[in-house]
Amino acid sequence: MILYEYPFNESIRTMLRLEHLFDRLGQLVARDTALDHHYALATIFEVMDVASRADLKADLLKELERHRTQLNSYRGNPAIAESVLDEVVGRIDHAFDKLNQLPGKAGQALTTNEWLMSIRSRISIPGGTCEFDLPGYYTWQQYLPAKRRNDLMQWAQTLMPLAEALNVLLGLLRDSGSPHKVAAHAGQYQQSLPQGRSFQLLRMRIDPSLGLVPEISGHRLMVSIRLMRQDEEGRLKPAPVDATFELTLCA
């Protein structure tokens, strides 16, 4: 099944983008080629760019505190397993403390490294990191993979409290939804959302053998999904077919 996720607000959109970048970073750092490590460094810079939003850290701390308060209110409830509650609250506490101890914005410590910042200023220029532009960076790319990996992990370390907070918050959000099967008719599906509940994320799983691509839109009152197919040139065109898929709304 292919999983598609659709955020209902800008905060969740930013969190999903950062999660995507951290996942990419983890895969690239684990590889050995200099090209993979070049793109791992580029990904670190992308994380810094996204995380530079002035209120991101404060927003994440606020969300962690909100979840902690809500979960602690369940203590003493006989329907709640205290051991599970302790484990989840412990993860929230750890993520909160690590992020709260992070000075400034995520990655701010790297901005004092002139060598890294010289690469950052040229890495978005097509071909801007050639050996004649940045000979020092070219030399670094010739190091053994283990040495480059160690450097990358050291530079990424300042971003890890952000990654941990995102992992906890998105995990709690995804766990809040219950998946159910729905059917689209003639390539269209719409669902009204109950008033009084604020949904933040839609998750959709669909069988890849159907060859369908969902176009998802939504707001606080309505979710709409249009099923599409790609033509030979990759353009999406409506697919007026009946199909079933799994839908999860996370609040």
Side-chain angles (χ1 to χ4, degrees):
M1 302 290 277
I2 300 179
L3 171 65
Y4 295 89
E5 293 189 317
Y6 180 84
F8 285 112
N9 56 60
E10 189 60 32
S11 176
I12 302 301
R13 186 174 288 110
T14 299
M15 291 169 66
L16 290 175
R17 284 175 176 152
L18 284 168
E19 181 188 52
H20 168 77
L21 291 172
F22 278 119
D23 179 63
R24 185 210 294 171
L25 178 61
Q27 293 186 50
L28 291 171
V29 168
R31 299 173 187 172
D32 287 340
T33 70
L35 184 61
D36 285 320
H37 288 173
H38 165 80
Y39 284 108
L41 186 56
T43 301
I44 289 176
F45 295 146
E46 285 187 60
V47 170
M48 292 172 63
D49 289 340
V50 177
S52 65
R53 223 185 72 195
D55 54 351
L56 176 63
K57 178 181 169 182
D59 286 349
L60 294 180
L61 288 171
K62 182 179 177 180
E63 278 299 295
L64 288 168
E65 180 60 36
R66 183 179 67 82
H67 280 288
R68 178 163 56 187
T69 301
Q70 182 180 21
L71 290 172
N72 279 326
S73 70
Y74 297 146
R75 295 196 180 279
N77 188 327
I80 302 296
E82 288 286 331
S83 59
V84 176
L85 186 61
D86 289 341
E87 190 271 332
V88 176
V89 172
R91 288 172 52 214
I92 293 174
D93 287 342
H94 189 269
F96 183 95
D97 292 341
K98 288 294 184 182
L99 186 60
N100 196 38
Q101 293 167 11
L102 188 69
K105 300 174 185 176
Q108 184 170 314
L110 299 181
T111 61
T112 61
N113 186 320
E114 293 184 8
W115 183 74
L116 281 179
M117 292 305 99
S118 69
I119 300 168
R120 185 185 185 186
S121 67
R122 296 199 57 84
I123 206 162
S124 61
I125 301 172
T129 56
C130 287
E131 64 271 22
F132 52 82
D133 287 311
L134 295 171
Y137 179 51
Y138 181 72
T139 300
W140 179 82
Q141 290 177 299
Q142 311 312 308
Y143 291 165
L144 291 174
K147 163 62 176 169
R148 294 196 309 267
R149 185 177 299 110
N150 184 68
D151 288 341
L152 287 166
M153 292 176 68
Q154 182 179 342
W155 297 329
Q157 195 61 38
T158 184
L159 304 171
M160 289 304 103
L162 177 63
E164 183 181 353
L166 290 169
N167 183 57
V168 170
L169 288 172
L170 288 173
L172 290 169
L173 177 60
R174 288 169 175 139
D175 289 344
S176 71
S178 299
H180 59 282
K181 289 282 188 180
V182 299
H185 301 288
Q188 298 280 347
Y189 175 81
Q190 284 190 338
Q191 179 177 330
S192 297
L193 300 180
Q195 296 187 19
R197 276 195 88 183
S198 179
F199 291 100
Q200 299 189 69
L201 181 69
L202 178 149
R203 310 185 83 213
M204 173 187 175
R205 294 183 189 272
I206 190 167
D207 189 340
S209 66
L210 298 175
L212 298 171
V213 180
E215 279 195 348
I216 306 170
S217 60
H219 50 75
R220 62 186 181 85
L221 299 177
M222 177 76 70
V223 167
S224 178
I225 298 174
R226 184 167 63 156
L227 300 179
M228 314 288 283
R229 274 205 176 98
Q230 287 183 306
D231 64 16
E232 294 181 354
E233 296 181 355
R235 292 174 299 191
L236 291 177
K237 295 185 176 180
V241 298
D242 294 344
T244 59
F245 50 86
E246 183 184 277
L247 194 67
T248 307
L249 291 167
C250 305

